[in-house]
Amino acid sequence: MNHMVQGKNADSATSGPHLLEVESVKKYFPLRKGLMGSKLFNRAIDGVSFTVERGETFGLVGESGCGKTTLGRVILRLTPPTEGRVLFETTDLTKVSLEQMRDFRRQIQVVFQDPYASLNPRMTIGSIIAEPLVVHGGYDRQQRKDRVQELLRIVGLHSDDERRYAHEFSGGQRQRIGIARALALNPKLIICDEPVSALDVSIQSQVLNLLQELQEEFGLTYIFISHSLSVVEHVSDRVAVMYLGKIVEIGAVDDIFNNPMHPYTKALISAIPIPDPKRKSKRIVLEGDVPSPVNPPPGCRFSSRCWMAQSKCLVSMPELEEVSSGHKVACYYAD
């Protein structure tokens, strides 16, 4: 019994030009009042827009605290946006009812960062993987058992593992179990939130290779959230670079890594270790701390740390503008 979608372009005939479209999304978290009774907000996401095509891996990268995970939660509607729209196959997920969103969650799944915390230690692995099938219904007991065993084989585990508990597995095996759970309902989109950051380097490559193999076999689409540029470069088709709640550069992976245009992107890429002792790269060291999202700079968010900043950058926020086909940069002096 195989419920998986076969072929990378199996959904290409579905309605809508993009699988996902994020339009001007903002998420402000209210804080305590400031001086004179003024309201304060943590501007975690401040006007983010991008599209995700069917069958691609869209990388979302940036320093901790830039809003990557919050954006993933907004797309999943675990956190409601303050403004903006999230269109999944032309349906605005911010407007649908909770009952309708339950149906959409069959098509949008998530792989969490921590394989130790994301699995219930009181449940067997078989019960954990079968839980989405129970919640959404449509499977009898034997069908659930067959499906669980099929998913375990797909992610490289033994079908007999269904009777074991999470503490009996290594970190990499636990993440495979998390991936199996995400695949259970045959989703179209999987949000991978730092899925390998808690794993050893040798295990990271195994999990990344598994994700790519599954994408090729079942036509999956990924949003891959990470702070590691080397990982994002390895798995992504397109990349968006976030800084303090905004996307500062977006484009094909080759454009971003071979021809970075935004100063922040250049600084991040310069910090990637080169596995060749004979080659030397010039590291761009950013001075100062990341500004507070509660009180961001009035102009470009990166202006307080940017060596290229001019007076214009201090008062006006640059918009994302296309510098080449599909390559957009939010910088007045990107050229």
Side-chain angles (χ1 to χ4, degrees):
M1 168 174 146
N2 190 345
H3 300 276
M4 302 298 289
V5 176
Q6 299 296 329
K8 178 139 184 160
N9 298 315
D11 296 312
S12 59
T14 320
S15 62
H18 312 290
L19 180 64
L20 183 78
E21 188 168 358
V22 175
E23 292 185 356
S24 304
V25 165
K26 296 182 179 181
K27 180 57 187 178
Y28 294 174
F29 292 99
L31 305 175
R32 66 184 187 280
K33 292 184 178 180
L35 297 176
M36 307 299 291
S38 60
K39 292 184 178 180
L40 297 177
F41 296 92
N42 180 341
R43 302 167 186 263
I45 309 172
D46 201 4
V48 167
S49 300
F50 61 87
T51 60
V52 179
E53 311 301 329
R54 303 172 195 278
E56 79 166 340
T57 299
F58 183 84
L60 197 58
V61 69
E63 292 173 291
S64 298
C66 71
K68 308 184 299 297
T69 294
T70 301
L71 183 55
R73 292 179 61 85
V74 167
I75 294 171
L76 290 162
R77 205 173 140 179
L78 298 176
T79 300
T82 304
E83 291 182 19
R85 302 197 303 166
V86 178
L87 302 175
F88 181 77
E89 293 187 330
T90 72
T91 299
D92 187 356
L93 299 183
T94 67
K95 303 297 184 185
V96 301
S97 67
L98 292 177
E99 187 61 31
Q100 290 173 312
M101 192 63 213
R102 176 189 173 99
D103 293 333
F104 277 105
R105 288 208 171 102
R106 296 179 65 99
Q107 304 177 60
I108 307 175
Q109 289 292 308
V110 59
V111 176
F112 295 101
Q113 175 179 359
D114 189 350
Y116 296 90
S118 63
L119 303 179
N120 190 332
R122 297 175 180 268
M123 296 172 65
T124 65
I125 296 309
S127 298
I128 289 173
I129 297 175
E131 190 172 21
L133 308 176
V134 174
V135 171
H136 289 274
Y139 296 80
D140 61 31
R141 179 175 295 181
Q142 186 59 46
Q143 287 176 325
R144 291 197 297 269
K145 181 178 178 64
D146 292 343
R147 181 67 171 145
V148 167
Q149 292 183 344
E150 177 192 21
L151 288 165
L152 286 170
R153 289 193 296 268
I154 286 173
V155 299
L157 297 174
H158 198 276
S159 58
D160 291 341
D161 289 336
E162 66 172 326
R163 296 190 292 269
R164 300 167 63 189
Y165 290 84
H167 71 269
E168 300 179 63
F169 295 88
S170 67
Q173 289 173 323
R174 292 187 196 192
Q175 199 60 292
R176 289 173 183 266
I177 294 165
I179 293 169
R181 178 177 56 186
L183 290 173
L185 293 169
N186 188 22
K188 296 178 180 177
L189 174 66
I190 297 180
I191 297 177
C192 303
D193 186 8
E194 301 270 12
V196 297
S197 63
L199 305 177
D200 293 337
V201 174
S202 59
I203 306 301
Q204 286 184 10
S205 61
Q206 295 178 18
V207 173
L208 293 175
N209 289 338
L210 172 63
L211 288 170
Q212 290 183 309
E213 290 168 5
L214 294 173
Q215 182 178 47
E216 293 173 2
E217 185 174 359
F218 302 123
L220 299 172
T221 303
Y222 296 138
I223 295 178
F224 197 96
I225 299 171
S226 178
H227 65 272
S228 171
L229 266 78
S230 57
V231 169
V232 168
E233 182 183 16
H234 178 68
V235 301
S236 301
D237 299 302
R238 290 189 300 131
V239 177
V241 181
M242 283 191 72
Y243 183 81
L244 208 61
K246 284 186 171 290
I247 290 179
V248 297
E249 187 165 3
I250 186 170
V253 64
D254 289 340
D255 290 336
I256 296 296
F257 285 89
N258 296 333
N259 185 31
M261 302 291 286
H262 196 279
Y264 178 61
T265 310
K266 293 179 179 180
L268 290 180
I269 292 176
S270 75
I272 299 176
I274 298 176
D276 185 350
K278 297 180 180 179
R279 291 181 57 193
K280 293 184 179 180
S281 62
K282 184 179 179 181
R283 172 77 183 271
I284 300 174
V285 180
L286 297 177
E287 298 181 357
D289 297 325
V290 179
S292 169
V294 178
N295 186 28
C300 174
R301 296 286 171 88
F302 189 59
S303 60
S304 62
R305 305 173 74 194
C306 181
W307 65 93
M308 294 170 54
Q310 305 293 325
S311 57
K312 184 178 183 179
C313 307
L314 305 180
V315 295
S316 175
M317 169 63 71
E319 298 294 328
L320 273 173
E321 294 186 356
E322 195 165 47
V323 293
S324 62
S325 179
H327 190 176
K328 297 181 179 181
V329 187
C331 180
Y332 293 121
Y333 305 103
D335 292 340

